[in-house]
Amino acid sequence: MAVALMSIGEKRVVKGVRGKDEVIRHLEDMGFVAGAVVECVADTPGGKILLVKGVRVALDTGLASKIMVA
């Protein structure tokens, strides 16, 4: 399941990131690494606001769809 499909308040564990090397590196630098817990804080028309490793991160739907969670 992709992060883009998460509901507000839902917590999931990152399983991996898809995309080009530079996109993967960028998302991993923000904390979206395998095993990290992600919580959906808000759902906006443009994407999601997520809590990962104690930091709030806003991602558009395109990037949020590249992060796979379980």
Side-chain angles (χ1 to χ4, degrees):
M1 171 177 157
V3 166
L5 301 174
M6 289 176 61
S7 302
I8 296 172
E10 189 175 0
K11 291 183 181 181
R12 298 270 182 159
V13 177
V14 175
K15 291 299 176 190
V17 180
R18 296 182 183 175
K20 295 182 180 179
D21 289 341
E22 60 266 11
V23 172
I24 294 171
R25 195 173 321 112
H26 177 65
L27 291 170
E28 288 177 345
D29 288 346
M30 287 194 292
F32 296 98
V33 294
V37 176
V38 177
E39 180 180 356
C40 182
V41 178
D43 192 3
T44 65
K48 302 279 185 185
I49 299 177
L50 307 164
L51 185 65
V52 60
K53 295 190 174 186
V55 178
R56 287 184 181 208
V57 178
L59 294 179
D60 68 359
T61 305
L63 280 178
S65 65
K66 296 185 183 303
I67 304 167
M68 305 312 290
V69 293

